[in-house]
Amino acid sequence: MFAYFFLALRKLLDLAEHSRRDAYLAAAVDMVELERRMRLMDGND
């Protein structure tokens, strides 16, 4: 039971993180800004 709860919580947190990253990238005003943001995110993984 605990394992199922942990996996469901992990999936929920992963989806939230993906949504946050998508919103951050979508807020870029041009390609240069988008590429800068993508490089910044790659460095944080």
Side-chain angles (χ1 to χ4, degrees), residues 6-26:
F6 178 75
L7 291 175
L9 182 61
R10 175 70 187 248
K11 185 174 182 178
L12 182 64
L13 291 174
D14 285 344
L15 288 173
E17 177 65 16
H18 285 277
S19 294
R20 185 190 67 80
R21 287 180 178 221
D22 288 346
Y24 175 71
L25 292 175

